[in-house]
Amino acid sequence: MKCKVCSREVSDEGFCELHLKAYSNILLKFEVWKKACDVSWSQYLVQIQKNSLTGEWAKDVAKQLIKEERKDV
Ligand SMILES: [Zn+2]
């Protein structure tokens, strides 16, 4: 199985080791954001993509998660 974002081998949750790390960071930061400004998961993902301070790895993961969110609706 390949990573949902790149073509590396999957480590867990459908992500490779590097994207999984970015994914856990996204989850961690979301907890902080939620408390600070009551932002929704999808709003938060959009913010990550817009934020120039966010690393490329996190942006890739956010993009993928947004795609999945839209598929669910
Ligand atoms: Zn990857």
Side-chain angles (χ1 to χ4, degrees):
M1 220 178 126
K2 302 263 196 241
C3 170
K4 287 191 260 187
V5 181
C6 61
S7 51
R8 288 180 187 84
E9 281 300 305
V10 161
S11 142
D12 202 3
E13 304 259 5
F15 293 114
C16 67
E17 213 173 302
L18 290 164
H19 282 120
L20 186 64
K21 212 175 186 178
Y23 180 56
S24 343
N25 278 333
I26 286 175
L27 288 180
L28 269 176
K29 277 186 197 154
F30 180 55
E31 290 304 314
V32 179
W33 270 58
K34 225 170 32 180
K35 277 177 202 151
C37 43
D38 197 29
V39 70
S40 80
W41 177 236
S42 29
Q43 281 170 329
Y44 169 66
L45 291 176
V46 171
Q47 285 307 312
I48 290 179
Q49 282 219 286
K50 280 188 197 158
N51 193 340
S52 56
L53 296 174
T54 314
E56 286 305 312
W57 295 104
K59 277 184 190 167
D60 286 346
V61 173
K63 201 164 146 193
Q64 172 63 29
L65 293 172
I66 289 169
K67 242 193 267 171
E68 286 176 14
E69 288 276 303
R70 296 206 172 128
K71 234 185 278 166
D72 288 343
V73 175

